[in-house]
Amino acid sequence: GYYRHYVDPMKPFAASMAPHLHGMAVTSATLRDTEDWQNARIRSGAHYLSPNSHDVSYESPFDYAKQTKIFVINDVRKDDLAQVSAAYKALFQASQGSALGLFTAISRLRAVHNALAAPLEEKGIPVYAQHVDDIDAGTLVDMFRENEQSCLLGTDAIRDGVDVPGNSLRLIAFDRVPWPRPTIMHKARRNAFADMMGGPRAYDEMITRLKLKQAFGRLIRRADDKGVFVMLDPMLPTRLQNAFPKDVEVVKTGLNEVISEIKNFL
């Protein structure tokens, strides 16, 4: 089919809102990519509505340094799905469930699910999966939230829209750095916004950082939460680590050490 999209979807959004607005507040934990507000104004459409938006930021109420740990595993080949599946299985066993596995491709999710679902369920750890179970994402999240020993595998919708406080979510494992796919739409938007955002590479890195922020943001939802974030891709660039809270060290190490750290921390 043929589809027609605005390169900047905030343009028609602002046009539809402007005639009715007396004022508008836009809030998000990931609204601002860096200390500069320009990207936030562009991404929210604020620059279409007012040349003088009022910008304000607040520190997080959470103590991420005490509540979280971040690891990048450097001895698992991301292109070897047997190794990736074995790593997920070991990580999920270490956390005794309560884990969210995030994937950049549905095919990778299905391959990992096929390899680990039965062995984990034999150990009393149910595995739910988006794009595998014939259940909508919202219901899968509800099932995952209700069973503290379960695991959930998912892609973008799970990464960006999950609220699972408490012991039901204590581990997040991401299979690869979520670089944007070079679709026609992405290329058009990158060409349109790259100059305003520091160039094509800066635009791609902004998109990737925001995905990492969204993923990490699933982990701590209230003051007594505790959790571990694991990246299975050793190619995570150091320059993207500012997607995570500045007071949490990102540790690159092997799978066995991460498993030991998960057991001790949780």
Side-chain angles (χ1 to χ4, degrees), residues 33-34 209 213 237-246:
D33 173 41
T34 62
R209 258 194 310 272
K213 285 185 178 185
T238 303
R239 63 184 180 275
L240 293 185
Q241 292 181 10
N242 59 358
F244 305 115
K246 59 186 177 182

Side-chain angles (χ1 to χ4, degrees), residues 106-224:
I106 295 172
S107 59
R108 291 172 64 85
L109 181 157
R110 287 173 172 161
V112 170
H113 178 266
N114 289 339
L116 61 73
L120 287 181
E121 287 176 3
E122 288 177 2
K123 296 181 179 296
I125 302 175
V127 180
Y128 310 126
Q130 186 188 16
H131 308 293
V132 175
D133 296 309
D134 190 19
I135 304 172
D136 67 271
T139 302
L140 284 173
V141 171
D142 290 341
M143 294 164 62
F144 173 59
R145 188 185 295 111
E146 290 300 315
N147 189 342
E148 291 186 2
Q149 279 70 51
S150 67
C151 298
L152 175 61
L153 309 181
T155 52
D156 290 1
I158 300 296
R159 180 195 67 219
D160 295 343
V162 173
D163 183 24
V164 183
N167 290 331
S168 292
L169 177 53
R170 302 192 299 165
L171 169 69
I172 292 177
F174 215 140
D175 74 322
R176 290 189 299 191
V177 178
W179 295 108
R181 295 175 184 172
T183 62
I184 294 172
M185 178 61 72
H186 172 72
K187 291 177 181 178
R189 287 178 173 159
R190 182 173 60 186
N191 289 338
F193 298 123
D195 289 344
M196 291 183 284
M197 297 184 177
R201 192 179 83 166
Y203 179 78
D204 284 351
E205 290 182 357
M206 179 199 71
I207 298 296
T208 306
R209 258 194 310 272
L210 292 171
K211 291 179 179 179
L212 292 172
K213 285 185 178 185
Q214 282 285 346
F216 181 84
R218 305 306 100 202
L219 198 57
I220 305 300
R221 311 301 290 176
R222 61 190 188 192
D224 58 349

